[in-house]
Amino acid sequence: MAATKKKTAEKSPGTSRTRLASLIKSARDTMRKDAGMNGDLDRLPQLSWLLFLKAFDERVEQEGEALDPDGYRRAIEEPYRWEDWATDRDHSGDELKSFVNEKLIPHLAGLVGDDAEDPRNVISTIFKDVVNRMQSGTLLRELVDIVNQIHFVSTDDIHTMAFVYESILKEMRDAAGDSGEFYTPRPVNRFMVQQSFLELGESILDPASGTGGFLVQAYEELKGQVKTNTQRRRLLADIRGIEKKPLPYLLGSMNLLLHGIDAPQVRRANSLLEMRTSNAADKVDVVLTNPPFGGEEESTVVKAFPDGFRTQETAWLFLYSILDQLKLGGRCAIVLPNGSLFATGENSIGAKIKKKLMKDCNLHTVVRLPQGVFAPYTQIPSNILFFEKTGPTKDVWFYEVPLPDGRRGYTKTKPMRIEEYQPCVDWWGGKEREGREAGEQAWAIPASDIIASGFNLDIANPHVGDELAHRTPEELVDELVKTETEILNQLEELRKGLGVSSSAE
Protein backbone atom coordinates (compact mmCIF):
# COMPACT_ATOMS: atom_id res chain seq x y z
CA MET A 1 0.00 0.00 0.00
CA ALA A 2 2.76 2.45 0.98
CA ALA A 3 4.80 1.59 -2.11
CA THR A 4 1.78 2.18 -4.31
CA LYS A 5 1.17 5.58 -2.74
CA LYS A 6 4.78 6.56 -3.21
CA LYS A 7 4.59 5.64 -6.86
CA THR A 8 1.39 7.62 -7.28
CA ALA A 9 2.92 10.63 -5.57
CA GLU A 10 5.96 10.52 -7.81
CA LYS A 11 3.69 10.59 -10.88
CA SER A 12 1.69 13.55 -9.57
CA PRO A 13 2.31 16.57 -11.75
CA GLY A 14 4.54 19.21 -10.27
CA THR A 15 2.83 22.46 -9.35
CA SER A 16 4.55 25.41 -11.00
CA ARG A 17 4.41 28.82 -9.36
CA THR A 18 2.09 30.10 -12.08
CA ARG A 19 -0.18 27.07 -11.78
CA LEU A 20 -0.21 27.33 -8.01
CA ALA A 21 -1.05 31.03 -8.07
CA SER A 22 -3.93 30.23 -10.44
CA LEU A 23 -5.24 27.51 -8.11
CA ILE A 24 -5.04 29.78 -5.09
CA LYS A 25 -6.96 32.45 -7.00
CA SER A 26 -9.62 29.90 -7.97
CA ALA A 27 -9.88 28.79 -4.35
CA ARG A 28 -10.39 32.30 -3.13
CA ASP A 29 -12.93 33.05 -5.89
CA THR A 30 -14.87 29.96 -4.80
CA MET A 31 -14.88 31.05 -1.16
CA ARG A 32 -16.08 34.54 -2.11
CA LYS A 33 -19.29 32.97 -3.42
CA ASP A 34 -20.07 31.42 -0.03
CA ALA A 35 -22.38 33.31 2.32
CA GLY A 36 -20.35 32.23 5.34
CA MET A 37 -17.14 33.91 4.19
CA ASN A 38 -16.72 37.50 5.36
CA GLY A 39 -13.42 38.76 3.96
CA ASP A 40 -9.89 37.38 4.08
CA LEU A 41 -10.01 36.98 7.86
CA ASP A 42 -12.45 34.11 7.14
CA ARG A 43 -11.20 32.91 3.74
CA LEU A 44 -7.50 32.55 4.47
CA PRO A 45 -7.88 30.43 7.63
CA GLN A 46 -10.34 28.19 5.77
CA LEU A 47 -7.84 27.67 2.97
CA SER A 48 -4.98 27.19 5.44
CA TRP A 49 -6.47 24.30 7.39
CA LEU A 50 -7.33 22.48 4.18
CA LEU A 51 -3.81 23.08 2.82
CA PHE A 52 -2.43 21.86 6.15
CA LEU A 53 -4.28 18.53 5.87
CA LYS A 54 -3.22 18.03 2.23
CA ALA A 55 0.40 18.93 2.97
CA PHE A 56 0.46 16.77 6.10
CA ASP A 57 -0.88 13.80 4.16
CA GLU A 58 1.76 14.03 1.42
CA ARG A 59 4.71 15.47 3.38
CA VAL A 60 4.40 13.40 6.54
CA GLU A 61 2.00 10.46 6.24
CA GLN A 62 2.78 9.17 2.75
CA GLU A 63 6.51 9.75 3.13
CA GLY A 64 6.49 8.03 6.51
CA GLU A 65 4.78 4.94 5.09
CA ALA A 66 7.12 4.88 2.10
CA LEU A 67 10.20 4.91 4.36
CA ASP A 68 8.83 2.40 6.88
CA PRO A 69 5.95 0.42 5.34
CA ASP A 70 5.64 -1.99 8.26
CA GLY A 71 6.39 0.22 11.24
CA TYR A 72 4.94 3.62 10.44
CA ARG A 73 1.72 4.48 12.24
CA ARG A 74 -0.39 7.21 10.71
CA ALA A 75 -1.36 10.14 12.89
CA ILE A 76 -4.69 10.38 11.04
CA GLU A 77 -6.46 7.06 10.45
CA GLU A 78 -9.46 5.94 8.37
CA PRO A 79 -11.93 7.40 7.52
CA TYR A 80 -10.33 10.75 8.30
CA ARG A 81 -7.29 10.53 6.02
CA TRP A 82 -7.23 13.01 3.15
CA GLU A 83 -7.66 10.28 0.52
CA ASP A 84 -10.64 8.84 2.41
CA TRP A 85 -12.87 11.89 2.12
CA ALA A 86 -11.23 14.68 0.10
CA THR A 87 -10.70 12.63 -3.06
CA ASP A 88 -14.00 10.71 -2.79
CA ARG A 89 -16.47 12.28 -5.22
CA ASP A 90 -19.33 10.54 -3.37
CA HIS A 91 -18.61 12.94 -0.51
CA SER A 92 -20.32 16.09 -1.79
CA GLY A 93 -22.92 18.70 -0.99
CA ASP A 94 -24.59 18.59 2.40
CA GLU A 95 -23.12 15.14 3.09
CA LEU A 96 -19.56 16.49 2.81
CA LYS A 97 -20.39 19.53 4.90
CA SER A 98 -21.94 17.35 7.64
CA PHE A 99 -18.96 14.99 7.63
CA VAL A 100 -16.48 17.87 7.97
CA ASN A 101 -18.46 19.68 10.68
CA GLU A 102 -19.69 16.75 12.74
CA LYS A 103 -16.99 14.10 12.33
CA LEU A 104 -13.71 15.25 10.76
CA ILE A 105 -13.02 18.41 12.77
CA PRO A 106 -14.12 16.91 16.15
CA HIS A 107 -12.00 13.79 15.51
CA LEU A 108 -8.89 15.81 14.65
CA ALA A 109 -9.44 18.07 17.66
CA GLY A 110 -9.54 15.01 19.90
CA LEU A 111 -6.26 13.42 18.82
CA VAL A 112 -3.74 12.76 21.60
CA GLY A 113 -0.03 12.23 20.99
CA ASP A 114 2.22 9.79 22.83
CA ASP A 115 5.06 12.31 23.31
CA ALA A 116 6.12 15.88 22.62
CA GLU A 117 7.26 15.07 19.07
CA ASP A 118 3.99 13.35 18.10
CA PRO A 119 2.33 15.42 15.34
CA ARG A 120 -1.09 14.50 16.69
CA ASN A 121 -0.54 17.10 19.39
CA VAL A 122 -0.10 19.82 16.76
CA ILE A 123 -3.15 18.61 14.79
CA SER A 124 -5.41 18.56 17.85
CA THR A 125 -4.24 22.00 19.00
CA ILE A 126 -4.99 23.47 15.57
CA PHE A 127 -8.39 21.85 15.14
CA LYS A 128 -9.68 22.71 18.61
CA ASP A 129 -10.20 26.19 17.19
CA VAL A 130 -11.00 25.36 13.55
CA VAL A 131 -14.50 26.07 12.30
CA ASN A 132 -15.70 25.29 8.80
CA ARG A 133 -17.26 28.62 7.91
CA MET A 134 -18.54 27.55 4.49
CA GLN A 135 -22.31 27.26 4.43
CA SER A 136 -22.58 25.64 1.00
CA GLY A 137 -21.57 22.00 0.78
CA THR A 138 -21.35 22.34 -3.00
CA LEU A 139 -18.85 25.19 -2.78
CA LEU A 140 -16.93 23.30 -0.10
CA ARG A 141 -16.63 20.38 -2.53
CA GLU A 142 -15.31 22.76 -5.20
CA LEU A 143 -12.75 24.18 -2.77
CA VAL A 144 -11.53 20.73 -1.69
CA ASP A 145 -11.18 19.69 -5.34
CA ILE A 146 -9.00 22.74 -6.00
CA VAL A 147 -6.78 22.06 -2.98
CA ASN A 148 -6.46 18.46 -4.11
CA GLN A 149 -4.72 19.70 -7.28
CA ILE A 150 -1.88 21.20 -5.19
CA HIS A 151 1.02 18.82 -4.59
CA PHE A 152 3.75 18.63 -1.97
CA VAL A 153 5.56 15.55 -3.23
CA SER A 154 8.90 17.08 -4.21
CA THR A 155 11.29 19.66 -2.84
CA ASP A 156 10.46 21.98 -5.73
CA ASP A 157 6.73 21.68 -5.02
CA ILE A 158 7.28 22.49 -1.33
CA HIS A 159 9.48 25.50 -2.09
CA THR A 160 6.89 26.75 -4.58
CA MET A 161 4.06 26.38 -2.08
CA ALA A 162 6.14 28.01 0.67
CA PHE A 163 6.71 31.00 -1.60
CA VAL A 164 3.02 31.35 -2.41
CA TYR A 165 2.02 30.75 1.21
CA GLU A 166 4.28 33.60 2.31
CA SER A 167 2.37 35.87 -0.06
CA ILE A 168 -0.87 34.62 1.54
CA LEU A 169 0.55 35.41 4.98
CA LYS A 170 1.47 38.89 3.81
CA GLU A 171 -2.12 39.46 2.74
CA MET A 172 -3.26 37.98 6.03
CA ARG A 173 -1.06 40.49 7.85
CA ASP A 174 -2.50 43.30 5.77
CA ALA A 175 -6.02 42.19 6.67
CA ALA A 176 -5.18 41.66 10.35
CA GLY A 177 -3.41 44.99 10.67
CA ASP A 178 -6.78 46.73 10.89
CA SER A 179 -7.63 44.66 13.95
CA GLY A 180 -4.45 45.49 15.80
CA GLU A 181 -2.28 42.52 14.87
CA PHE A 182 1.24 43.61 13.91
CA TYR A 183 3.61 41.19 12.19
CA THR A 184 7.33 41.41 11.60
CA PRO A 185 8.50 42.15 8.05
CA ARG A 186 10.77 39.49 6.62
CA PRO A 187 13.88 41.73 6.34
CA VAL A 188 13.62 42.46 10.08
CA ASN A 189 13.31 38.71 10.82
CA ARG A 190 16.33 37.91 8.69
CA PHE A 191 18.50 40.68 10.11
CA MET A 192 17.74 39.76 13.73
CA VAL A 193 18.43 36.07 13.10
CA GLN A 194 21.61 36.79 11.15
CA GLN A 195 23.05 39.11 13.83
CA SER A 196 22.23 36.61 16.60
CA PHE A 197 24.87 34.22 15.18
CA LEU A 198 22.92 31.03 15.89
CA GLU A 199 24.65 27.69 16.39
CA LEU A 200 23.46 24.10 16.23
CA GLY A 201 22.58 22.76 19.67
CA GLU A 202 21.17 26.04 20.95
CA SER A 203 17.57 26.26 22.09
CA ILE A 204 15.75 29.11 20.33
CA LEU A 205 12.44 30.59 21.48
CA ASP A 206 9.96 33.10 20.11
CA PRO A 207 7.41 33.70 22.89
CA ALA A 208 5.15 35.64 20.50
CA SER A 209 5.63 33.37 17.48
CA GLY A 210 2.62 34.51 15.41
CA THR A 211 2.89 33.11 11.88
CA GLY A 212 6.33 31.65 12.60
CA GLY A 213 8.58 34.16 10.84
CA PHE A 214 11.44 34.08 13.35
CA LEU A 215 11.25 30.30 13.75
CA VAL A 216 11.32 29.72 9.99
CA GLN A 217 14.29 32.06 9.58
CA ALA A 218 16.17 30.39 12.44
CA TYR A 219 15.56 26.94 10.93
CA GLU A 220 16.63 28.11 7.47
CA GLU A 221 19.79 29.62 8.99
CA LEU A 222 20.80 26.39 10.73
CA LYS A 223 19.56 23.49 8.60
CA GLY A 224 22.55 23.71 6.23
CA GLN A 225 24.83 22.84 9.16
CA VAL A 226 23.01 19.57 9.87
CA LYS A 227 25.08 16.47 9.05
CA THR A 228 23.31 13.63 10.90
CA ASN A 229 19.76 12.54 11.74
CA THR A 230 20.53 13.12 15.40
CA GLN A 231 21.46 16.73 14.69
CA ARG A 232 18.29 17.22 12.66
CA ARG A 233 16.07 15.84 15.45
CA ARG A 234 17.85 18.08 17.94
CA LEU A 235 17.39 21.13 15.70
CA LEU A 236 13.66 20.45 15.28
CA ALA A 237 13.30 20.17 19.06
CA ASP A 238 15.30 23.36 19.63
CA ILE A 239 13.10 25.59 17.43
CA ARG A 240 10.36 26.57 19.88
CA GLY A 241 7.50 29.02 20.00
CA ILE A 242 4.51 30.09 22.09
CA GLU A 243 1.42 31.69 20.56
CA LYS A 244 -1.73 32.72 22.39
CA LYS A 245 -4.19 33.24 19.55
CA PRO A 246 -5.68 30.41 17.46
CA LEU A 247 -5.48 32.02 14.01
CA PRO A 248 -1.74 32.89 14.08
CA TYR A 249 -1.11 29.44 15.59
CA LEU A 250 -2.81 27.76 12.60
CA LEU A 251 -1.01 29.96 10.05
CA GLY A 252 2.34 29.49 11.80
CA SER A 253 1.96 25.71 12.00
CA MET A 254 1.27 25.56 8.26
CA ASN A 255 4.25 27.83 7.59
CA LEU A 256 6.60 25.64 9.64
CA LEU A 257 5.27 22.45 8.04
CA LEU A 258 5.96 23.84 4.57
CA HIS A 259 9.54 24.65 5.58
CA GLY A 260 10.27 21.11 6.71
CA ILE A 261 9.23 21.08 10.38
CA ASP A 262 6.68 18.26 10.52
CA ALA A 263 5.86 18.54 14.23
CA PRO A 264 6.40 22.19 15.20
CA GLN A 265 7.36 22.71 18.84
CA VAL A 266 4.96 25.61 19.28
CA ARG A 267 2.69 25.72 22.29
CA ARG A 268 -0.74 27.31 22.20
CA ALA A 269 -0.71 29.31 25.43
CA ASN A 270 -0.30 32.71 27.04
CA SER A 271 3.48 33.00 26.92
CA LEU A 272 3.66 35.48 29.81
CA LEU A 273 2.07 32.94 32.15
CA GLU A 274 4.10 30.11 30.57
CA MET A 275 7.38 31.93 31.19
CA ARG A 276 6.41 32.94 34.72
CA THR A 277 5.73 29.32 35.69
CA SER A 278 8.66 27.77 33.80
CA ASN A 279 11.54 25.98 35.50
CA ALA A 280 15.29 25.74 34.91
CA ALA A 281 14.83 23.09 32.20
CA ASP A 282 12.67 25.52 30.18
CA LYS A 283 15.35 28.22 29.97
CA VAL A 284 16.73 28.84 26.49
CA ASP A 285 19.93 29.99 24.80
CA VAL A 286 18.36 32.48 22.39
CA VAL A 287 15.16 34.55 22.26
CA LEU A 288 14.09 36.16 18.98
CA THR A 289 10.85 38.09 19.16
CA ASN A 290 8.67 41.05 18.31
CA PRO A 291 6.22 41.06 21.24
CA PRO A 292 2.91 42.89 21.04
CA PHE A 293 3.13 46.42 22.38
CA GLY A 294 0.56 49.04 23.24
CA GLY A 295 -1.82 46.33 24.42
CA GLU A 296 -2.98 45.43 27.89
CA GLU A 297 -2.98 42.10 29.73
CA GLU A 298 -5.72 40.87 32.02
CA SER A 299 -5.26 41.29 35.75
CA THR A 300 -4.56 37.59 36.43
CA VAL A 301 -1.50 37.79 34.17
CA VAL A 302 -0.27 41.03 35.73
CA LYS A 303 -0.59 39.56 39.24
CA ALA A 304 1.79 36.75 38.26
CA PHE A 305 4.63 39.29 38.26
CA PRO A 306 6.49 40.56 41.37
CA ASP A 307 5.45 43.74 43.16
CA GLY A 308 7.09 46.74 41.57
CA PHE A 309 7.05 45.16 38.11
CA ARG A 310 3.31 44.89 37.56
CA THR A 311 1.98 46.67 34.52
CA GLN A 312 -0.59 46.03 31.81
CA GLU A 313 1.84 47.15 29.07
CA THR A 314 2.67 43.92 27.28
CA ALA A 315 6.07 45.03 25.98
CA TRP A 316 7.41 45.50 29.52
CA LEU A 317 5.98 42.18 30.72
CA PHE A 318 7.62 40.35 27.80
CA LEU A 319 11.00 41.98 28.38
CA TYR A 320 10.92 41.17 32.11
CA SER A 321 9.93 37.55 31.40
CA ILE A 322 12.64 37.11 28.77
CA LEU A 323 15.31 38.23 31.24
CA ASP A 324 14.30 35.29 33.45
CA GLN A 325 13.81 32.87 30.55
CA LEU A 326 17.38 33.18 29.25
CA LYS A 327 20.12 30.86 30.44
CA LEU A 328 23.30 32.42 31.79
CA GLY A 329 25.28 33.36 28.70
CA GLY A 330 22.10 33.39 26.59
CA ARG A 331 21.18 36.22 24.25
CA CYS A 332 18.19 38.01 22.86
CA ALA A 333 17.10 40.17 19.93
CA ILE A 334 13.80 41.95 20.61
CA VAL A 335 11.78 44.68 18.87
CA LEU A 336 10.62 47.53 21.14
CA PRO A 337 8.93 50.87 20.38
CA ASN A 338 10.53 54.25 21.13
CA GLY A 339 8.13 54.81 24.00
CA SER A 340 9.52 51.80 25.83
CA LEU A 341 13.07 53.05 25.40
CA PHE A 342 12.17 56.49 26.77
CA ALA A 343 10.40 55.50 30.02
CA THR A 344 12.34 57.08 32.90
CA GLY A 345 11.96 57.96 36.60
CA GLU A 346 12.36 56.14 39.90
CA ASN A 347 8.73 55.00 40.01
CA SER A 348 8.52 54.04 36.33
CA ILE A 349 8.14 50.32 35.83
CA GLY A 350 9.81 50.69 32.46
CA ALA A 351 12.86 52.28 34.07
CA LYS A 352 12.97 49.52 36.69
CA ILE A 353 12.93 46.81 34.01
CA LYS A 354 15.64 48.59 32.01
CA LYS A 355 17.70 48.83 35.20
CA LYS A 356 17.32 45.07 35.65
CA LEU A 357 18.20 44.56 31.98
CA MET A 358 21.43 46.57 32.21
CA LYS A 359 22.39 45.02 35.55
CA ASP A 360 21.86 41.40 34.48
CA CYS A 361 22.79 41.69 30.81
CA ASN A 362 25.18 43.33 28.40
CA LEU A 363 22.94 45.52 26.24
CA HIS A 364 25.56 45.85 23.55
CA THR A 365 23.54 47.17 20.59
CA VAL A 366 20.39 49.18 19.90
CA VAL A 367 19.47 49.33 16.21
CA ARG A 368 17.17 52.27 15.51
CA LEU A 369 14.81 51.37 12.67
CA PRO A 370 13.68 53.92 10.09
CA GLN A 371 10.20 55.38 10.10
CA GLY A 372 7.46 53.17 8.67
CA VAL A 373 9.15 49.76 8.83
CA PHE A 374 5.92 48.28 10.21
CA ALA A 375 3.61 50.20 7.87
CA PRO A 376 0.71 49.89 7.27
CA TYR A 377 0.06 48.41 10.72
CA THR A 378 1.68 51.21 12.70
CA GLN A 379 3.88 54.25 12.20
CA ILE A 380 5.30 53.97 15.74
CA PRO A 381 9.13 54.24 15.52
CA SER A 382 10.77 51.02 16.66
CA ASN A 383 14.13 49.59 17.66
CA ILE A 384 15.88 46.24 17.95
CA LEU A 385 17.67 45.57 21.23
CA PHE A 386 20.47 42.98 21.23
CA PHE A 387 21.71 41.81 24.63
CA GLU A 388 23.53 38.92 26.30
CA LYS A 389 23.05 37.56 29.81
CA THR A 390 26.75 37.83 30.60
CA GLY A 391 26.90 40.55 33.26
CA PRO A 392 26.30 44.29 33.51
CA THR A 393 26.31 46.67 30.56
CA LYS A 394 29.36 48.95 30.22
CA ASP A 395 28.61 50.75 26.97
CA VAL A 396 25.65 50.71 24.58
CA TRP A 397 26.27 51.09 20.87
CA PHE A 398 23.52 52.69 18.80
CA TYR A 399 23.17 52.27 15.05
CA GLU A 400 20.57 54.17 13.05
CA VAL A 401 19.39 52.50 9.85
CA PRO A 402 18.54 55.39 7.50
CA LEU A 403 15.75 55.53 4.97
CA PRO A 404 16.90 55.10 1.37
CA ASP A 405 17.70 58.34 -0.42
CA GLY A 406 14.59 60.17 -1.50
CA ARG A 407 12.23 58.09 0.69
CA ARG A 408 9.99 59.44 3.45
CA GLY A 409 8.88 56.06 4.68
CA TYR A 410 7.71 52.60 3.61
CA THR A 411 4.44 51.38 2.18
CA LYS A 412 2.85 48.04 1.30
CA THR A 413 4.04 48.43 -2.27
CA LYS A 414 7.49 49.73 -1.31
CA PRO A 415 8.52 47.93 1.89
CA MET A 416 11.96 47.72 3.45
CA ARG A 417 14.53 45.48 1.71
CA ILE A 418 17.11 43.28 3.46
CA GLU A 419 19.90 45.02 1.52
CA GLU A 420 19.28 48.16 3.56
CA TYR A 421 20.79 46.44 6.60
CA GLN A 422 24.08 45.64 4.89
CA PRO A 423 25.97 48.78 6.09
CA CYS A 424 24.99 47.85 9.67
CA VAL A 425 26.15 44.27 9.12
CA ASP A 426 29.49 45.55 7.79
CA TRP A 427 29.87 47.84 10.82
CA TRP A 428 28.81 45.17 13.34
CA GLY A 429 32.22 43.52 13.68
CA GLY A 430 31.16 39.87 13.47
CA LYS A 431 30.12 37.67 16.37
CA GLU A 432 32.62 39.28 18.73
CA ARG A 433 31.70 42.83 17.61
CA GLU A 434 35.32 43.76 17.00
CA GLY A 435 36.53 47.04 15.50
CA ARG A 436 33.34 49.06 15.85
CA GLU A 437 33.77 52.73 15.16
CA ALA A 438 31.57 55.77 15.65
CA GLY A 439 30.37 57.42 12.46
CA GLU A 440 27.45 59.10 10.77
CA GLN A 441 25.09 56.24 11.71
CA ALA A 442 26.81 54.83 14.83
CA TRP A 443 27.58 56.15 18.30
CA ALA A 444 28.34 54.71 21.75
CA ILE A 445 26.95 55.84 25.13
CA PRO A 446 28.51 54.82 28.48
CA ALA A 447 26.18 52.90 30.77
CA SER A 448 26.86 55.47 33.48
CA ASP A 449 25.29 58.20 31.31
CA ILE A 450 22.20 56.07 30.70
CA ILE A 451 21.86 55.35 34.41
CA ALA A 452 22.21 59.07 35.20
CA SER A 453 19.41 59.86 32.71
CA GLY A 454 16.98 57.56 34.52
CA PHE A 455 17.59 54.73 32.03
CA ASN A 456 16.51 56.63 28.96
CA LEU A 457 17.51 54.60 25.89
CA ASP A 458 15.67 56.78 23.39
CA ILE A 459 18.88 58.52 22.36
CA ALA A 460 18.81 60.35 19.04
CA ASN A 461 21.61 60.23 16.51
CA PRO A 462 24.03 63.00 17.61
CA HIS A 463 25.21 63.45 14.02
CA VAL A 464 21.81 64.53 12.66
CA GLY A 465 22.14 68.02 14.12
CA ASP A 466 25.51 68.47 12.44
CA GLU A 467 23.97 67.51 9.11
CA LEU A 468 21.19 70.09 9.49
CA ALA A 469 23.66 72.78 10.51
CA HIS A 470 25.46 72.45 7.20
CA ARG A 471 22.35 72.75 5.05
CA THR A 472 21.32 76.08 3.54
CA PRO A 473 18.02 77.77 4.48
CA GLU A 474 16.83 77.18 0.90
CA GLU A 475 17.45 73.44 1.22
CA LEU A 476 15.58 73.29 4.52
CA VAL A 477 12.59 75.22 3.11
CA ASP A 478 12.52 72.98 0.01
CA GLU A 479 12.53 69.91 2.25
CA LEU A 480 9.69 71.30 4.36
CA VAL A 481 7.58 72.10 1.28
CA LYS A 482 8.21 68.61 -0.09
CA THR A 483 7.14 67.02 3.21
CA GLU A 484 3.98 69.12 3.47
CA THR A 485 3.05 68.30 -0.14
CA GLU A 486 3.41 64.57 0.55
CA ILE A 487 1.19 64.90 3.64
CA LEU A 488 -1.49 66.77 1.65
CA ASN A 489 -1.40 64.11 -1.09
CA GLN A 490 -1.82 61.34 1.49
CA LEU A 491 -4.75 63.18 3.09
CA GLU A 492 -6.39 63.59 -0.30
CA GLU A 493 -6.01 59.83 -0.96
CA LEU A 494 -7.57 59.16 2.44
CA ARG A 495 -10.46 61.50 1.62
CA LYS A 496 -11.11 59.63 -1.65
CA GLY A 497 -10.94 56.30 0.14
CA LEU A 498 -13.61 57.50 2.56
CA GLY A 499 -15.79 58.62 -0.34
CA VAL A 500 -15.65 62.28 0.67
CA SER A 501 -15.55 64.88 -2.11
CA SER A 502 -12.99 67.64 -1.90
CA SER A 503 -14.16 71.27 -1.86
CA ALA A 504 -12.79 71.73 -5.40
CA GLU A 505 -15.14 69.10 -6.70
Side-chain angles (χ1 to χ4, degrees), residues 35-153:
M37 299 280 101
N38 297 307
D40 279 343
L41 286 174
D42 282 341
R43 290 191 288 267
L44 296 179
Q46 179 83 16
L47 180 59
S48 290
W49 69 256
L50 286 169
L51 284 171
F52 179 90
L53 290 178
K54 179 70 184 329
F56 185 82
D57 183 72
E58 291 187 353
R59 285 276 296 115
V60 182
E61 302 279 54
Q62 291 190 28
E63 286 187 11
E65 284 189 337
L67 293 171
D68 186 10
D70 298 322
Y72 181 80
R73 178 190 171 189
R74 279 187 172 237
I76 302 175
E77 299 177 341
E78 295 184 73
Y80 305 104
R81 301 174 305 177
W82 182 265
E83 69 250 40
D84 294 329
W85 63 272
T87 63
D88 184 358
R89 295 295 305 172
D90 291 334
H91 267 321
S92 60
D94 289 340
E95 180 188 348
L96 174 63
K97 178 183 168 184
S98 297
F99 172 79
V100 168
N101 292 345
E102 299 168 14
K103 295 183 179 180
L104 177 67
I105 292 175
H107 173 79
L108 298 177
L111 293 175
V112 179
D114 294 331
D115 53 54
E117 297 183 1
D118 195 319
R120 288 178 293 180
N121 294 322
V122 177
I123 296 169
S124 62
T125 303
I126 289 173
F127 281 87
K128 278 183 173 68
D129 296 294
V130 162
V131 175
N132 170 43
R133 297 188 182 278
M134 297 192 72
Q135 295 182 6
S136 167
T138 301
L139 290 173
L140 177 60
R141 175 74 262 173
E142 287 183 21
L143 179 61
V144 170
D145 287 345
I146 292 168
V147 171
N148 203 42
Q149 297 177 58
I150 299 172
H151 299 289
F152 303 86
V153 295

Side-chain angles (χ1 to χ4, degrees), residues 261-291:
I261 302 177
D262 297 340
Q265 299 300 300
V266 179
R267 297 194 300 281
R268 172 80 204 294
N270 185 312
S271 57
L272 293 173
L273 290 177
E274 287 278 298
M275 289 189 284
R276 292 303 303 150
T277 59
S278 64
N279 53 41
D282 297 319
K283 292 184 182 295
V284 296
D285 297 296
V286 182
V287 172
L288 297 161
T289 193
N290 177 12

Side-chain angles (χ1 to χ4, degrees), residues 468-481:
L468 291 175
H470 289 90
R471 297 174 70 181
T472 66
E474 291 81 4
E475 288 176 326
L476 294 176
V477 171
D478 288 344
E479 190 67 34
L480 180 60
V481 170

